[in-house]
Amino acid sequence: MLRRLGAETRQVRVPADLAGLDGLVIPGGESTTMTLGIEREGLAEPLRELAAGGVPMLGSCAGMIMLDSEHLGLMDMRAERNAFGRQVRSFEADLEVRGIEGGPIRGIFIRAPWIAEHGPDVEILASVEGRPVAARQGELLAVAFHSELSEDERLHRLFLERIQGRAASIPAAQRR
Ligand code: GLN
């Protein structure tokens, strides 16, 4: 999705892969597996430094879980894993997302979390059945669904615009 929108991408597996990144996606998958990988590679501290440097991040599904207070601790919220139920309870829904113009976006929820609790710095951008499923805190964006699996590019476009906005306002030499 990011490449389709013209971004240059690379996979991050070890701390050295973070060097020079303008933005980071923490994708869906399994938060338990990601936690083990992050521990094994010593990625937690470098990821926190990246966030502290204001680098925009997009966490989707398991990525949302990784951003929460019980994992990387980057957002002041707690994501409840598998909150909508097991695999058979996976679903799609059209949702209005604050900050995204042009009508609802298609959310694909695969054993998705929801945001069970959050602090005042976390802005809720969308909900399903009264449960928050999209949120922003500063440059960090978390969604419970997989927008990369739909044809709708607006969420990733929004993410890239944040990155470009930041790049334009900070001289390259000061970016990390
Ligand atoms: N259920 C997974 C977890 O708890 C998340 C699923 C997903 O990313 N689609 O990590």
Side-chain angles (χ1 to χ4, degrees), residues 127-170:
S127 298
V128 166
E129 297 165 8
R131 307 294 189 169
V133 292
R136 167 187 297 292
Q137 181 175 352
E139 294 297 335
L140 308 178
L141 184 61
V143 296
F145 49 89
H146 288 260
S147 59
E148 81 282 3
L149 296 179
S150 81
E151 290 300 307
D152 199 326
E153 297 168 342
R154 285 174 291 167
L155 187 92
H156 286 77
R157 202 181 287 283
L158 181 80
F159 175 61
L160 290 180
E161 281 166 7
R162 297 292 286 215
I163 292 172
Q164 282 158 350
R166 184 171 180 272
S169 66
I170 303 172

Side-chain angles (χ1 to χ4, degrees), residues 27-32 60-63 65 81-82 110-113 146:
E30 272 301 332
S31 50
T32 312
S60 81
C61 204
I65 297 168
R81 292 184 66 194
N82 305 323
I110 304 170
R111 287 195 301 123
H146 288 260

